[in-house]
């Protein structure tokens, strides 16, 4: 099993995001871009990034979606998340057990992840068009670390 970007690792990150947004639900596109924003938060004028800036980091967004779907299935099977249909399509929501599970995780990485998830869900995402941000990431050529493509994302 590969430890990096495995369904387990991405599942923990997704659960942290779902727990932070609880009881509100998120769709797959929202979880994917929020996960990217959490990992590369400095690029979005947030706290220091959890992962280093790599030239091909935009490509990880497309690859992540398939693994993210697997990760969400693991969370559903474990009773930590649920899949629902709403007026916009399929959405994922943390169950009552999800946030309680996240609370018991004490690893330093998870604590930093939780801080960035709080920032991403409550400060960055409300003013961000998720689909436009995703398109921008997928169509923008890699920029130097000093360039911040979402520097002025707020209207």
């Amino acid at each position: 099993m590969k430890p990096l970007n495995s369904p387990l690792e991405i599942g923990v990150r997704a659960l942290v995001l779902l727990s932070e947004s609880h009881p509100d639900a998120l769709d797959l596109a929202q979880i994917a871009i929020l996960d990217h924003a959490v990992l590369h938060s400095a690029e979005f004028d947030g706290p220091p990034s959890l992962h280093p800036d790599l030239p091909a980091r935009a490509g990880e967004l497309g690859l992540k979606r398939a693994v993210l779907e697997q990760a969400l299935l693991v969370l559903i099977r474990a009773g930590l998340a649920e899949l629902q249909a709403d007026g916009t399509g399929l959405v994922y929501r943390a169950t009552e057990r999800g946030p309680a599970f996240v609370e018991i995780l004490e690893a330093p990485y998870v604590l930093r992840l939780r801080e960035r998830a709080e920032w991403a869900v409550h400060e960055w995402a409300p003013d961000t068009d998720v689909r436009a941000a995703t398109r921008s990431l997928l169509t923008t050529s890699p920029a130097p670390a000093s360039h911040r493509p979402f520097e002025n994302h707020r209207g």
Side-chain angles (χ1 to χ4, degrees):
M1 178 176 147
K2 69 176 190 168
L4 297 175
N5 288 319
S6 67
L8 178 60
E9 179 192 2
I10 292 176
V12 168
R13 294 195 316 249
L15 182 59
V16 169
L17 288 165
L18 290 171
S19 294
E20 188 59 44
S21 69
H22 187 266
D24 295 331
L26 299 170
D27 66 24
L28 187 62
Q30 289 170 312
I31 298 169
I33 195 69
L34 282 169
D35 182 61
H36 189 84
V38 163
L39 297 179
H40 304 288
S41 48
E43 178 180 336
F44 301 94
D45 295 328
S49 297
L50 282 176
H51 291 190
D53 288 336
L54 301 172
R57 68 187 173 277
E60 69 185 61
L61 193 61
L63 297 172
K64 185 183 304 180
R65 286 183 68 106
V67 180
L68 179 57
E69 288 177 318
Q70 294 171 14
L72 289 164
L73 287 175
V74 170
L75 296 176
I76 291 167
R77 286 187 200 121
L80 300 171
E82 59 190 7
L83 177 64
Q84 299 176 331
D86 72 3
T88 63
L90 297 176
V91 293
Y92 298 87
R93 179 184 327 274
T95 63
E96 294 300 321
R97 293 175 54 196
F101 182 82
V102 169
E103 286 291 321
I104 65 170
L105 301 175
E106 296 180 358
Y109 178 83
V110 175
L111 297 176
R112 292 191 312 271
L113 177 63
R114 290 176 62 194
E115 291 169 356
R116 282 146 185 88
E118 181 180 0
W119 163 81
V121 169
H122 300 293
E123 294 180 40
W124 182 74
D127 295 328
T128 301
D129 179 337
V130 171
R131 279 145 187 85
T134 302
R135 272 192 308 277
S136 179
L137 280 171
L138 295 175
T139 59
T140 303
S141 60
S146 62
H147 181 263
R148 309 271 189 247
F150 298 97
E151 185 168 52
N152 298 313
H153 75 278
R154 290 186 166 90

